Amino acid sequence: MKTFSLAVNALRRDWRSGELRLIAIAVVIAVASFTSVSFFTDRVLQATELQSAELLAADLVLLSGRAIDAGLIERANAAGLISSRTTSFRSIVIVAEKLQMAEVKAIEDGYPVRGHLRISNTLFGEESITTELPAPGTVWVDVRLLQILNIEPGDQINLGASQLTVSKVLTYEPDRGGDLFNIAPRLLMNMIDVPATELILPGSRVQYRLLLGGKLDAIKQFRQMIESNNEDDLKIHSIRDARPELKSALERAEQFLGLAALVSIALAGLAVAMSAQRYAIRHFDNCAIMRCLGAEQSTITNIYFIQLLILSVISSLAGCGIGYIAQHGLSALMSGLTPEALPAPSLLPVATGLLTGMITVLGFAMPQILRLRNVSPLRVLRRDLAPLPLRGITTYIFAVVALALLTPWQSGNIHLTVYMLLGIFVTGLILTGSARLMIHWLNHLRSRVGVAARYGLANIARRKNQSIAQILGIGLGVMVMLLLTLIRTDLLESWSNKLPDGTPNYFLINIQPDEIEMLQAFMQQHAALTTDIYPMIRGRLTAINGKAVNPNVYKDQRAQRLVSREFNLSWARDLQAGNRLVAGNWWSAHETDNTQFSVEQGIAETLGINMHDKLTYSIAGQDITGEVTNLRWVEWDSFNVNFFVIANPGKLEKYPGTYITSFYLAADKKKLLIDLVKRFPSVTVVDIDALLSQVRIIMQQVIKTIEFVFGFTLLAGLIVMFAALQTTHDERIHESALLSALGANRHQILASLIAEFLCLGLVAGVSSAFSATVVALALAEFVFKMDVFINPWVWLIAPLICSLVIVLGGLAGTRKVFNTAPMVALRKI
Amino acid sequence: MQSTSRPVVQAEKLGKQVLSPAGQLIILQDIDLTIHAGETLAIVGVSGSGKSTLLGLLAGLDIPTSGRVFIDGTNISDLDEDGRARMRNQRVGFVFQSFQLLASLTALENVMLPLELAGAVAPDIEARQRLTEVGLAERLQHYPNQLSGGEQQRVAIARAFAGKPQILFADEPTGNLDQKTAQQIIDLLFSLNSEHGTTLVLVTHNPAIADHCERSLTLAGGKIIAS
Ligand SMILES: Nc1ncnc2c1ncn2[C@@H]1O[C@H](COP(=O)(O)OP(=O)(O)O)[C@@H](O)[C@H]1O
Ligand SMILES: [Mg+2]
């Protein structure tokens, strides 16, 4: 208790004298950026997902293999949610002698909960938005089914035991599913007509969905309730499962935000560590006196520990307050993007923010504070008796533990965290190494420069450890700022370039081998388009390494779906643009002896396929087995034709297959499609215009978010630089006063300060340009999977900005020297 | 002899006030003083009586809030900070209680510093000479933290005499030293002082040290009470 009141009094004193302000500011920034960033990652991405709800036809979709029970619907309604059920299954549609497998979806009032259906009265006719459902006794079918069965609106079809009338052409359905080309033609019917078809029997494969809509909070709560109840026949379907194109965009955004958050905490931590160092040095005398007066070492530690704890709580709360205000700013930024205002933030960020602040302070400041217990009471007699400097390892251990405690909340991505820590570590090494080299070299230079510069250079060398720490702090700050700038620019650019005007908005599928040439000629003649055509063969994965594949062993719904149906294979001689090998090698043209497969990384993960596994596909009743010789990453958000599994040439050609192509057609040329379908009746047109514009909107939002978060990280970087400079301000001010007493004029003092700051800035700038380039390349290659263009100007700009900021910041921090009498400054020791 | 020497430092109605949380605090008041070339003057008084403040004003380390200080006939208040710096560099040397060496420089570099600041031609030759005079010829390349208190103060004395100042200001130069070392430092200071013919102004609260000086004045509560 005595210690506590001692600590409180000391805190009050130190606060008044301004000694703790920098630590407090660093914590405030750390916590503010933490809370805002966690808000961004959480809520904005959530809002973005909501925005994408259009593509799900709902805010939340629950899937089940059994009919949705009434109790669940009641619960949803009680939670203030609107709901609508759908029932989907595959069935044969019969018209005269023609049979066709179709994807049937039965819907009821309220469908779709989000988004709209679009229909037309005739094939490629005027499209219109509708809020109605197919009337009982009628169905709406898509262009493909019309083409295949060669029917028109008004014709009759047979579905199970029922005969139904085709009343409209279905042109757009928000939740038509992930794979645009894998699905059978579609048929939409009224739920009332389902029993009469007698198609749903025990054991038949039917998917029941409950589409839900409502306020963000209510949806979130309901989702959490479902998740925690762990009702195993209920699956939650989110936008990520629905659209691989969005998946990769959202994942990159999340990764970037995670990185930015992590980095701002690490930087703020660094700032805390550096200000704590200054604080500790300023308190050596106090501690020596206290020790002299009989304070035990533990008392000293406790006093400062309690002081820091109180400080961290207070400044964390202030940081939370700022974060809270920033959240409001963000809501304003986001308004208009979401149909609803974002919900008021919960108290959770305050709790995590508080914890973050405390961990940051204790993790990064404690090692310095622990030094104080080792102050020798003898210092009272000999002031230059400072406790041993910290062993680097102590600082690192505390910092790494603190970061490790903080990261799980920030990024669920272990890769990113590891790369980030590795990046910091490597940068630290580079910076320390180059700082040592420079100090060594400068010491040689010392005898050859003028007195002012000599004094500046001598300072760098004498304050060796501090100089290294400063270069480290400043360099890391600049490195991170550069890194985020580099990545951000490329990330944003790659996104805005990703879907340029002219991105394919139509796909042609079902092209027969003998139609290829004619079709290409047709496209060339009528639309001046050269089209790449890819082969497509339907096959079902039957065995992996000779073991039969059983859909039921997969927990993942998507995996079950993927192995229980046929999907598209292709063959290719060359690796397609927008694909990147992540394991193994691409085959060369003459490797035709064995069958080889190239598998997309994501699907390999989902299905548990590894390099060198033997995959057996059943194609048109025949088994073909080949080895996985490489894994690919695919840029799905490019909207190009891509395949999950590709074989080497010469193996699949003999099986019956069709071809696929994609192209861009301006809205006013849409008429061409009618000619095309007439000319090539078997070819099916898939329109993805609506999907494209949706994805574009979402990317715009993500870009805005990233810009905002980026600002915070820059702030954290600046604080580190500031804190690093601050660590030696006291010494500089005192020494400058002494120089002045000995007769140095302002010009000479200024020159010595500039010499010192300039050297620090140049070294920090060059080394950080180097590390930023390396880390950016690594992140681009291994995490973001994109091409980063490293602007060579960073080598000039980084040292320039670095020196400028350090010289200006340093002079601003020590400007006192120039307007105080030397007597006053000399007294202060 | 005194009357024939010219005055090097003159103070007229010198006063210093500072703004403290409790209001205006008067540290020095109505100080009239003339220091002649070559004389040795002790300023004595209890702690807090204003000795260091007076010394700082006389040396041009600070400017008075009232009255005037002349060094070699120049009013220091008329000079800007750079002008005062030049003045200190050319005419004044310092020895402080807490040595005030630059920790980043070696003993030799510390002594060279005022010479270099003045633009001397061969600063290291004179600096070596000064350090030899104080008995530290062997410790030229040592850093202050490698030297004992007494040795540090010797370096400070060597630095004070570098550049041949006319007047030396010493603020309790032995305050941080043991008695034996203190005596050695005082002896060194006085012998160098007479050797160089410098004017010495020495602040002390030790009457024995004050007795070494030709003249002494006593401060109390910011005023001269005996002279
Ligand atoms: N800048 C200042 N601000 C407030 N008080 C000061 C300042 N400088 C000196 N003092 C006060 O003036 C008095 C005289 O100080 P000083 O000249 O250092 O005394 P001495 O050297 O005789 O011990 C002391 O009480 C001291 O606290
Ligand atoms: Mg004093």
Side-chain angles (χ1 to χ4, degrees), chain A residues 437-471:
Chain A
L437 264 177
M438 177 208 64
I439 288 169
H440 183 76
W441 177 70
L442 284 181
N443 232 354
H444 281 291
L445 204 70
R446 186 161 150 187
S447 55
R448 269 177 259 157
V449 294
V451 57
R454 144 116 47 111
Y455 176 65
L457 300 190
N459 266 341
I460 292 186
R462 198 258 313 170
R463 288 196 264 264
K464 192 167 170 188
N465 289 329
Q466 272 161 296
S467 298
I468 291 175
Q470 276 182 322
I471 290 175

Side-chain angles (χ1 to χ4, degrees), chain A residues 382 384 443 446 451 454-455 458-459 462 734-735 738-748 818 820-824 826-827 829, chain B residues 52-53 56 61-62 81-82 85-86 88-89 94 96 98 100-106 109 112-114 116-117 143 145 147 152 159:
Chain A
R382 244 197 106 171
D384 50 339
N443 232 354
R446 186 161 150 187
V451 57
R454 144 116 47 111
Y455 176 65
N459 266 341
R462 198 258 313 170
H734 169 223
E735 290 173 356
L738 192 54
L739 277 180
S740 166
L742 295 176
N745 59 33
R746 296 159 73 96
H747 180 79
Q748 287 167 315
F818 300 108
T820 359
M823 188 72 192
V824 178
L826 286 175
R827 254 182 199 285
I829 47 126
Chain B
S52 296
T53 308
L61 284 174
D62 203 355
E81 189 48 54
D82 279 352
R86 208 174 313 121
R88 289 192 293 266
N89 188 248
F94 291 100
F96 300 98
S98 49
Q100 304 280 19
L101 297 177
L102 286 159
S104 57
L105 303 182
T106 62
E109 286 172 327
M112 279 163 65
L113 194 61
E116 290 179 310
L117 290 171
Y143 285 91
N145 62 4
L147 300 170
Q152 291 186 47
R159 183 178 67 184

Side-chain angles (χ1 to χ4, degrees), chain B residues 13-149:
Chain B
K13 294 238 166 300
L14 200 58
K16 180 78 182 173
Q17 295 191 1
V18 292
L19 194 62
S20 73
Q24 283 290 339
L25 178 75
I26 298 171
I27 305 175
L28 286 178
Q29 217 177 343
D30 281 335
I31 306 280
D32 283 303
L33 176 67
T34 303
I35 302 169
H36 297 279
E39 79 172 314
T40 52
L41 170 71
I43 300 174
V44 292
V46 295
S47 178
S49 56
K51 305 183 295 293
S52 296
T53 308
L54 177 59
L55 189 88
L57 288 174
L58 296 177
L61 284 174
D62 203 355
I63 47 172
T65 43
S66 63
R68 297 185 292 178
V69 175
F70 297 91
I71 299 179
D72 253 359
T74 310
N75 183 349
I76 58 157
S77 297
D78 290 345
L79 298 172
D80 60 3
E81 189 48 54
D82 279 352
R84 283 193 295 276
R86 208 174 313 121
M87 170 80 78
R88 289 192 293 266
N89 188 248
Q90 288 163 2
R91 310 197 199 286
V92 179
F94 291 100
V95 179
F96 300 98
Q97 178 176 2
S98 49
F99 320 142
Q100 304 280 19
L101 297 177
L102 286 159
S104 57
L105 303 182
T106 62
L108 181 64
E109 286 172 327
N110 261 290
V111 180
M112 279 163 65
L113 194 61
L115 296 166
E116 290 179 310
L117 290 171
V121 192
D124 57 325
I125 296 176
E126 191 191 335
R128 279 168 205 275
Q129 203 181 330
R130 293 285 92 78
L131 279 164
T132 314
E133 281 171 6
V134 299
L136 288 177
E138 313 295 307
R139 314 293 297 269
L140 300 180
Q141 299 306 332
H142 287 207
Y143 285 91
N145 62 4
Q146 298 167 319
L147 300 170
S148 73

Side-chain angles (χ1 to χ4, degrees), chain A residues 358-638:
Chain A
M358 283 160 57
I359 293 176
T360 311
V361 170
L362 298 181
F364 290 90
M366 246 356 241
Q368 295 294 342
I369 296 312
L370 286 176
R371 256 178 109 184
L372 288 172
R373 64 184 286 134
N374 295 328
V375 171
S376 157
L378 215 65
R379 185 181 163 87
V380 178
L381 299 178
R382 244 197 106 171
R383 281 204 63 252
D384 50 339
L385 272 182
L388 287 175
L390 275 181
R391 271 190 303 156
I393 190 92
T394 325
T395 329
Y396 288 131
I397 287 175
F398 269 90
V400 166
V401 168
L403 276 180
L405 284 174
L406 290 171
T407 43
W409 312 341
Q410 272 310 310
S411 78
N413 187 332
I414 186 80
H415 281 286
L416 191 66
T417 310
V418 169
Y419 277 113
M420 148 93 194
L421 289 177
L422 239 119
I424 288 184
F425 184 72
V426 170
T427 310
L429 283 185
I430 294 174
L431 286 167
T432 313
S434 44
R436 273 180 197 286
L437 264 177
M438 177 208 64
I439 288 169
H440 183 76
W441 177 70
L442 284 181
N443 232 354
H444 281 291
L445 204 70
R446 186 161 150 187
S447 55
R448 269 177 259 157
V449 294
V451 57
R454 144 116 47 111
Y455 176 65
L457 300 190
N459 266 341
I460 292 186
R462 198 258 313 170
R463 288 196 264 264
K464 192 167 170 188
N465 289 329
Q466 272 161 296
S467 298
I468 291 175
Q470 276 182 322
I471 290 175
L472 204 66
I474 293 166
L476 274 176
V478 176
M479 188 282 270
V480 161
M481 290 196 269
L482 280 178
L483 180 64
L484 289 186
T485 315
L486 288 174
I487 293 188
R488 168 185 145 276
T489 317
D490 283 303
L491 201 65
L492 299 192
E493 228 157 61
S494 74
W495 279 347
S496 10
N497 293 343
K498 183 122 290 165
L499 301 176
D501 292 339
T503 299
N505 57 353
Y506 288 98
F507 282 83
L508 297 183
I509 58 177
N510 269 340
I511 304 166
Q512 300 305 313
D514 56 352
E515 290 175 327
I516 295 175
E517 267 166 46
M518 278 188 293
L519 185 81
Q520 276 177 322
F522 178 89
M523 294 304 291
Q524 185 67 51
Q525 186 190 342
H526 291 94
L529 286 173
T530 331
T531 41
D532 285 332
I533 294 201
Y534 303 91
M536 191 157 101
I537 287 167
R538 302 186 63 77
R540 180 205 291 260
L541 181 65
T542 53
I544 300 177
N545 291 330
K547 236 181 101 204
V549 171
N550 173 6
N552 295 328
V553 305
Y554 288 104
K555 270 217 167 115
D556 188 67
Q557 182 128 19
R558 182 161 161 259
Q560 287 181 7
R561 215 165 48 234
L562 283 166
V563 295
S564 55
R565 293 183 191 172
E566 293 191 316
F567 70 82
N568 298 318
L569 306 169
S570 188
W571 71 85
R573 209 164 57 91
D574 303 308
L575 186 64
Q576 211 181 307
N579 284 225
R580 190 196 292 249
L581 289 185
V582 291
N585 297 308
W586 192 254
W587 40 77
S588 53
H590 51 82
E591 278 182 83
T592 45
D593 303 347
N594 320 318
T595 307
Q596 300 183 34
F597 289 120
S598 167
V599 183
E600 191 259 348
Q601 182 191 14
I603 205 171
E605 212 167 287
T606 312
L607 298 183
I609 296 173
N610 299 309
M611 277 288 287
H612 308 301
D613 280 355
K614 302 266 189 302
L615 305 184
T616 305
Y617 278 94
S618 162
I619 302 173
Q622 274 180 282
D623 280 355
I624 172 162
T625 300
E627 185 187 338
V628 178
T629 54
N630 66 64
L631 297 179
R632 266 174 307 128
W633 174 83
V634 172
E635 192 176 34
W636 289 109
D637 39 4
S638 70

Side-chain angles (χ1 to χ4, degrees), chain A residues 757-777:
Chain A
F757 290 136
L758 203 63
C759 285
L760 289 178
L762 286 176
V763 176
V766 173
S767 352
S768 53
F770 176 70
S771 1
T773 308
V774 173
V775 178
L777 287 175

Side-chain angles (χ1 to χ4, degrees), chain A residues 299-375:
Chain A
T299 314
I300 302 242
T301 307
N302 287 344
I303 288 177
Y304 285 100
F305 176 75
I306 294 170
Q307 213 178 323
L308 277 186
L309 206 64
I310 300 174
L311 181 76
S312 67
V313 169
I314 295 174
S315 34
S316 302
L317 287 176
C320 289
I322 291 177
Y324 187 88
I325 293 167
Q327 292 178 14
H328 280 290
L330 183 82
S331 301
L333 195 79
M334 281 298 184
S335 69
L337 292 180
T338 42
E340 270 188 72
L342 291 167
S346 69
L347 282 177
L348 194 69
V350 176
T352 48
L354 202 64
L355 218 54
T356 306
M358 283 160 57
I359 293 176
T360 311
V361 170
L362 298 181
F364 290 90
M366 246 356 241
Q368 295 294 342
I369 296 312
L370 286 176
R371 256 178 109 184
L372 288 172
R373 64 184 286 134
N374 295 328
V375 171

